[in-house]
Amino acid sequence: MRNKVQDLQSKLSHAAKQSLDRRFGALYDKIYREDVLWEAWRQVRANKGGPGIDHQSIEYIEDEIGVEVFISEIREELHMKRYRPKAVRRCWIDKAGKPEKRPLGIPVVKDRVIQAATKLVIEPIFEANFLPCSYGFRPGISAHKAILAIRKAIGLKNQLVVIDADIVGFFDNIRQDILMKLLRRRISDPRVLKLIKGWLEAGVMEKGEYIESNGLGTPQGGVISPLLSNIYLHSFDKMIQMSGIPGTLVRYCDDFVILLYRDGKKVLEDVRQMLSRLGLQLHKDKTRVVHARRGFDFLGIHFRLCHTSRKDAKRKWYCSIWPSNRSMERIRQRIRELIGRRYNSPLEEMIGDLNPVIRGWNNYHTASRPDAKRFRQLNAFVRDRLRIFLRRKYSDQSRGNWRVHNNLLVRLGLHQFG
């Protein structure tokens, strides 16, 4: 059943599609509408996340302040124009499958709620302009559609020359002046623009030290950051579209590949120039031009042009996919961490902890119908880790194979990869 927030978004989307260059005013009052703020709160609460620099967690707001009081205070601050964003708490987290770390910005819960409310209002307007080549963090569009687009480009269109690109420090190098100009193309309400500019200029707190914004970047971890990144890189999408390059661009937020018939190195130089207009650069070592027969990784998936073994097949070549090596290593590491040295835990409890992790990884990778060989490898890996766990738990001097024989783990409810 549709609610009032969905009706508002539908009206804004319809108006934006009617005129792709219309500038919208009078949006600020919609951001502090009670139903919009409550929907924003529900989204922030569902995403969980830690406290910002004020140390107020979601649980603290629910138990100590009260959600109704919290929402009422936000409405009052926005209505009276007293709201001021706080600095973002910066922490560093591991990059999946890589030795280096990446920065993560954690705004205070109040800022996250107001960002979510702003996103609810302005996202339908910009969605009307976004091109089909953009797949990341968009409503109703998933990574699986990006994967399907790549398979079609390779398998059906025969676009076998691939530009596998990596932008250097994208979120840290977004030029805020360019971003604000792009926002003004669709938003004329100065109060909304001031809100967004305030978040961009709020700065960060790291180890107790305040670091001012230098006119660059949008904090990774902000609720509105994925939308702002799509608005920023929409200009790149348009450049590719207007250049007439005969190929397929598939972009997921700041990650993208371009699939071509030929002239990969020439197009790569064109792409460098396009991105330089936005103040962005491609990583020299991580960006490459590769043939589909050699394969490449994108969104945790390895794509490769393979020869079919079927004699009666109409097409002798097809695009095969399977989980990338990095994705495989991530799930193995997660399984190792979950099993650990919990020798006091019963096997059933261990299986209960493993199942959500296996199921989540499995749901993502099986949706695209990949090669099943790697799933069998992972099932063998989980079985072996649990065998070692049981052997050590019971000080078994044998190899412990008898403890997991006859599909015991599956009969106890262990979810299987594939």
Side-chain angles (χ1 to χ4, degrees):
M1 184 177 177
R2 292 173 64 88
N3 57 36
K4 291 183 178 180
V5 177
Q6 290 172 327
D7 288 337
L8 170 64
Q9 291 181 308
S10 180
K11 290 176 182 177
L12 289 169
S13 176
H14 179 74
K17 289 175 182 176
Q18 290 290 101
S19 176
L20 294 178
D21 58 357
R22 172 182 168 182
R23 300 178 71 218
F24 286 76
L27 294 174
Y28 185 77
D29 60 318
K30 295 173 176 61
I31 292 172
Y32 65 81
R33 267 178 37 172
E34 189 171 6
D35 54 343
V36 173
L37 287 174
W38 273 103
E39 178 60 28
W41 163 259
R42 283 189 284 271
Q43 291 183 7
V44 170
R45 186 180 185 278
N47 289 333
K48 300 178 182 178
I53 62 171
D54 63 355
H55 306 294
Q56 289 188 2
S57 64
I58 291 172
E59 293 76 15
Y60 177 85
I61 290 168
E62 290 179 326
D63 299 338
E64 302 295 329
I65 299 176
V67 181
E68 289 189 4
V69 174
F70 178 71
I71 296 296
S72 177
E73 288 176 353
I74 289 177
R75 285 197 72 200
E76 181 69 15
E77 283 188 34
L78 289 172
H79 179 63
M80 301 304 294
K81 301 186 181 67
R82 293 200 308 264
Y83 167 72
R84 298 292 181 272
K86 287 185 168 59
V88 172
R89 179 168 69 89
R90 175 183 283 173
C91 58
W92 294 83
I93 61 174
D94 293 329
K95 269 193 174 182
K98 296 182 181 180
E100 64 262 30
K101 295 180 180 289
R102 68 178 179 89
L104 178 69
I106 305 177
V108 299
V109 177
K110 179 186 290 185
D111 289 351
R112 300 210 296 264
V113 171
I114 299 174
Q115 286 185 22
T118 304
K119 182 172 176 283
L120 284 169
V121 172
I122 71 172
E123 185 175 53
I125 297 169
F126 287 97
E127 272 291 324
N129 292 82
F130 290 160
L131 299 180
C133 62
S134 172
Y135 294 89
F137 303 103
R138 294 182 58 192
I141 299 177
S142 68
H144 296 116
K145 292 186 178 180
I147 294 167
L148 180 61
I150 294 173
R151 296 189 78 173
K152 284 183 176 179
I154 294 173
L156 299 180
K157 297 179 183 178
N158 210 35
Q159 295 171 344
L160 307 180
V161 177
V162 183
I163 296 176
D164 182 9
D166 186 281
I167 299 176
V168 178
F170 170 69
F171 284 94
D172 293 331
N173 289 299
I174 290 177
R175 279 183 50 182
Q176 294 174 3
D177 58 334
I178 294 177
L179 178 57
M180 293 306 299
K181 286 179 182 177
L182 295 173
L183 287 164
R184 290 189 191 99
R185 289 183 179 179
R186 289 298 251 166
I187 300 175
S188 61
D189 191 330
R191 298 166 296 177
V192 176
L193 294 169
K194 184 180 178 182
L195 262 185
I196 298 172
K197 190 174 182 181
W199 293 320
L200 295 175
E201 296 178 346
V204 299
M205 286 286 289
E206 184 176 1
K207 297 179 180 179
E209 182 181 349
Y210 175 72
I211 304 171
E212 289 186 7
S213 169
N214 59 356
L216 292 175
T218 175
Q220 277 183 273
V223 177
I224 204 169
S225 291
L227 174 60
L228 296 180
S229 69
N230 275 332
I231 293 170
Y232 198 76
L233 284 177
H234 172 67
S235 296
F236 171 67
D237 299 343
K238 289 291 289 183
M239 290 180 208
I240 292 287
Q241 183 190 57
M242 296 174 69
S243 70
I245 293 172
T248 301
L249 168 65
V250 177
R251 183 176 64 78
Y252 194 93
C253 197
D254 61 318
D255 295 325
F256 69 90
V257 294
I258 303 176
L259 301 109
L260 306 160
Y261 297 104
R262 63 185 74 83
D263 300 330
K265 291 184 178 180
K266 178 182 179 300
V267 173
L268 178 56
E269 288 307 309
D270 294 339
V271 169
R272 290 187 194 277
Q273 292 179 18
M274 293 175 190
L275 288 172
S276 68
R277 294 169 62 184
L278 296 171
L280 301 173
Q281 294 181 338
L282 291 176
H283 201 294
K284 291 183 179 180
D285 298 328
K286 297 179 181 179
T287 299
R288 60 180 184 147
V289 178
V290 64
H291 195 280
R293 279 197 296 267
R294 291 182 58 193
F296 62 96
D297 294 343
F298 188 65
L299 298 177
I301 302 290
H302 184 79
F303 298 82
R304 182 169 295 189
L305 183 68
C306 297
H307 194 276
T308 182
S309 58
R310 290 174 51 190
K311 293 182 179 180
D312 60 340
K314 292 182 179 180
R315 295 181 178 273
K316 299 302 180 184
W317 298 86
Y318 72 102
C319 180
S320 182
I321 66 170
W322 55 81
S324 67
N325 289 337
R326 279 176 55 194
S327 185
M328 292 282 286
E329 184 52 40
R330 282 200 301 270
I331 189 63
R332 287 194 190 103
Q333 184 59 33
R334 183 71 181 118
I335 289 167
R336 290 189 194 100
E337 292 170 356
L338 278 174
I339 295 175
R341 299 177 181 272
R342 298 161 50 190
Y343 301 127
N344 292 329
S345 302
L347 180 58
E348 291 81 1
E349 180 182 321
M350 190 73 69
I351 289 172
D353 292 340
L354 286 170
N355 276 344
V357 174
I358 294 173
R359 192 178 294 114
W361 191 92
N362 206 40
N363 288 344
Y364 176 76
H365 285 280
T366 56
S368 303
R369 298 183 180 179
D371 188 331
K373 180 180 178 181
R374 294 204 163 193
F375 294 108
R376 292 192 293 270
Q377 293 174 356
L378 286 175
N379 285 327
F381 174 79
V382 176
R383 180 181 181 277
D384 198 51
R385 297 306 302 181
L386 288 174
R387 174 189 65 79
I388 294 170
F389 164 76
L390 291 171
R391 179 171 167 252
R392 291 173 177 172
K393 177 181 174 70
Y394 295 106
S395 303
D396 192 339
Q397 298 302 310
S398 71
R399 290 187 57 82
N401 286 321
W402 66 275
R403 294 187 179 276
V404 291
H405 76 304
N406 289 338
N407 240 7
L408 173 65
L409 300 175
V410 176
R411 286 189 281 120
L412 287 175
L414 180 68
H415 196 79
Q416 294 290 284
F417 288 98

